[in-house]
């Protein structure tokens, strides 16, 4: 098995750790940066939504020039590898580390000037260890990956939406509890600090975690939720899914009365974490049977390959579309760390 390098951020210095966390039944390859492709501007879906509306960001400069000045780190564990899956806690730790560096960059008082800008400067390079310089660890970042199977609960989620749920004997929350869907399957349950009810992550599903400072976009959580939905709708169109839309008074993206993508976030001092998940192939649907997804009784879930005639979309292909959609909606250019 190849050893995969995952970026690990430290308060003292950046370094790489050996991350042999991929599932043993997958083939792996070293993470490499994929060249970006040319983008076409998509028509935006500006339908009013619950608790806020989505409006595109207006940037200075013509023909996307403003984006080139707003560079954001892209931690891509999908298109840079072959079917790599990441344990939930490994990705969660990476998110929390980037958030802490963002908060350190911002400072404790809103009146304090930031230590450095949230976007990557043009002259950024490697530090002496070959990693991201300490002064850039708190720049805006987006993580894309596939998870090992896991159920996640939000801060106030009701665990009764997990079928057959039983809390463990320890005094902690559901972190170490598992649920058996059948004789061969045991799926861990993790309570995290996002909003929303229970959901499932696993192979065949693209998960994206933006850790960004909303002061560089729009200081409005509801706008941000609508922006994530807009990213999903545009990416689905690029993947051949027609008719995906929002629903009144519900978050996420739907098609034919079925949910194809979910989102849940947390923000501290306008710095976001957690994000969105899009179901790509049928593997992503199997373990939804063990829960009431997002606490919505009677609502079904679907995936891209059940909604398109070809049925051949992969997580890697969708990741390219999602990258382009994020660049368009947030007005940024995504670049891989050195």
């Amino acid at each position: 098995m190849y050893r995969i390098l995952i970026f690990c951020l430290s308060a003292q210095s950046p370094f790489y750790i050996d991350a042999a966390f991929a599932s043993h039944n997958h083939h792996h390859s070293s993470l490499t940066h994929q060249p970006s492709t040319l983008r076409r501007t998509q028509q935006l879906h500006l339908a009013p939504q619950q608790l806020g509306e989505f409006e595109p960001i207006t940037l200075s400069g013509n023909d996307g020039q403003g984006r080139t000045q707003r560079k954001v780190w892209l931690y891509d564990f999908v298109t840079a590898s072959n079917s790599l899956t990441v344990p939930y806690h490994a990705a969660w730790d990476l998110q929390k580390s980037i958030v802490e560096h963002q908060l350190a960059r911002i400072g404790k008082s809103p009146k304090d000037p930031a230590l450095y800008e949230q976007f990557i400067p043009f002259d950024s390079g490697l530090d002496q260890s070959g990693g991201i310089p300490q002064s850039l660890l708190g720049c805006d970042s987006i993580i894309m990956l596939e998870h090992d199977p896991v159920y996640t609960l939000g801060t106030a989620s009701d665990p009764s939406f997990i079928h057959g749920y039983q809390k463990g004997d320890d005094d902690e929350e559901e972190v170490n509890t598992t649920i058996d869907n059948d004789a061969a399957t045991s799926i861990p349950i993790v309570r995290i600090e996002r909003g929303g009810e229970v959901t499932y992550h696993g192979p065949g599903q693209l998960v994206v975690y933006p850790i960004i400072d909303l002061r560089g976009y729009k200081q409005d959580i509801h706008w941000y939720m609508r922006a994530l939905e807009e990213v999903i709708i545009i990416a689905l169109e690029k993947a051949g899914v027609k008719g995906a839309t929002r629903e009144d008074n519900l978050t996420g993206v739907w098609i034919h009365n079925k949910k194809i993508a979910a989102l849940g976030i947390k923000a501290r001092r306008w710095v976001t974490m957690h994000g969105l998940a899009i179901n790509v192939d049928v593997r992503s649907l199997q373990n939804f049977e063990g829960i009431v997804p997002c606490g919505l009784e009677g609502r079904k879930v679907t995936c891209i390959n059940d909604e398109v005639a070809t049925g051949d979309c992969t997580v890697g292909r969708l990741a390219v579309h999602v990258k382009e959609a994020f660049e368009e909606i947030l007005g940024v250019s995504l670049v891989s760390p050195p």
Side-chain angles (χ1 to χ4, degrees), residues 39-40 42 44 54 67 142 227-238 276 278 318-332 334:
R39 302 185 297 275
R40 292 185 302 170
Q42 301 291 308
L44 300 181
F54 174 73
R67 296 183 194 173
I142 293 178
L228 292 181
E229 291 167 346
E230 194 68 26
V231 165
I232 295 167
I233 291 172
I234 290 175
L236 289 175
E237 282 190 346
K238 290 173 177 284
L276 62 89
I278 308 172
L318 182 66
V320 174
H321 299 322
V322 169
K323 173 182 179 291
E324 294 171 350
F326 264 109
E327 289 179 323
E328 179 176 338
I329 294 303
L330 297 183
V332 298
L334 300 182

Side-chain angles (χ1 to χ4, degrees), residues 63-322:
D63 196 24
Q65 181 180 356
R67 296 183 194 173
T68 64
Q69 301 173 4
R70 294 160 54 92
K71 295 196 294 182
V72 170
W73 293 126
L74 173 62
Y75 295 85
D76 182 356
F77 300 107
V78 177
T79 60
S81 63
N82 292 327
S83 300
L84 172 71
T85 58
V86 180
Y88 192 84
H89 281 281
W92 194 13
D93 288 344
L94 178 58
Q95 284 194 80
K96 289 185 285 188
S97 182
I98 297 174
V99 168
E100 290 304 317
H101 284 285
Q102 279 265 28
L103 297 179
R105 175 186 66 81
I106 294 169
K108 294 183 178 180
S109 172
K111 297 181 180 180
D112 292 341
L115 294 178
Y116 50 95
E117 296 298 323
Q118 68 187 93
F119 299 112
I120 307 165
F122 282 97
D123 58 352
S124 61
L126 304 179
D127 68 358
Q128 294 181 352
S129 69
I132 302 174
Q134 179 76 19
S135 61
L136 300 180
L137 293 176
C139 290
D140 285 1
S141 304
I142 293 178
I143 304 169
M144 296 199 304
L145 50 78
E146 281 182 272
H147 273 306
D148 290 340
V150 63
Y151 292 131
T152 65
L153 292 163
T155 305
S157 295
D158 184 351
S160 67
F161 287 126
I162 304 174
H163 301 318
Y165 166 81
Q166 290 182 345
K167 187 172 180 177
D169 294 330
D170 56 359
D171 293 329
E172 298 180 0
E173 289 291 338
E174 293 79 5
V175 174
N176 298 316
T177 307
T178 59
I179 179 171
D180 291 330
N181 282 348
D182 54 49
T185 304
S186 182
I187 301 176
I189 302 169
V190 182
R191 186 177 290 275
I192 58 177
E193 62 274 70
R194 63 161 171 80
E197 288 291 347
V198 63
T199 194
Y200 168 75
H201 299 308
Q205 180 190 77
L206 177 65
V207 179
V208 186
Y209 298 128
I211 299 101
I212 62 175
D213 183 351
L214 289 181
R215 285 172 291 190
Y217 308 90
K218 189 170 183 178
Q219 286 181 255
D220 185 329
I221 296 298
H222 304 304
W223 173 89
Y224 177 60
M225 297 288 282
R226 305 291 79 79
L228 292 181
E229 291 167 346
E230 194 68 26
V231 165
I232 295 167
I233 291 172
I234 290 175
L236 289 175
E237 282 190 346
K238 290 173 177 284
V241 178
K242 306 301 181 183
T245 187
R246 304 175 175 93
E247 284 201 5
D248 290 340
N249 302 316
L250 295 173
T251 60
V253 175
W254 305 75
I255 183 168
H256 303 145
N257 204 35
K258 299 177 183 178
K259 195 167 192 176
I260 196 169
L263 51 150
I265 68 161
K266 175 183 172 61
R268 291 175 58 192
R269 283 186 267 163
W270 297 109
V271 174
T272 67
M273 65 182 300
H274 300 298
L276 62 89
I278 308 172
N279 301 325
V280 180
D281 64 51
V282 293
R283 294 175 300 158
S284 66
L285 304 182
Q286 297 169 354
N287 292 308
F288 275 105
E289 296 179 359
I291 61 174
V292 178
C294 303
L296 299 175
E297 297 277 2
R299 301 301 297 269
K300 295 183 178 180
V301 294
T302 188
C303 66
I304 291 175
N305 285 346
D306 279 354
E307 301 297 333
V308 295
T310 56
D312 61 355
C313 187
T314 66
V315 176
R317 290 177 190 171
L318 182 66
V320 174
H321 299 322
V322 169

Side-chain angles (χ1 to χ4, degrees), residues 58-62 65-67 69:
T58 302
L59 300 178
S60 60
N62 298 321
Q65 181 180 356
R67 296 183 194 173
Q69 301 173 4

Side-chain angles (χ1 to χ4, degrees), residues 10-22:
S10 166
Q12 284 74 38
S13 62
F15 62 94
Y16 296 103
I17 60 171
D18 182 35
F21 51 61

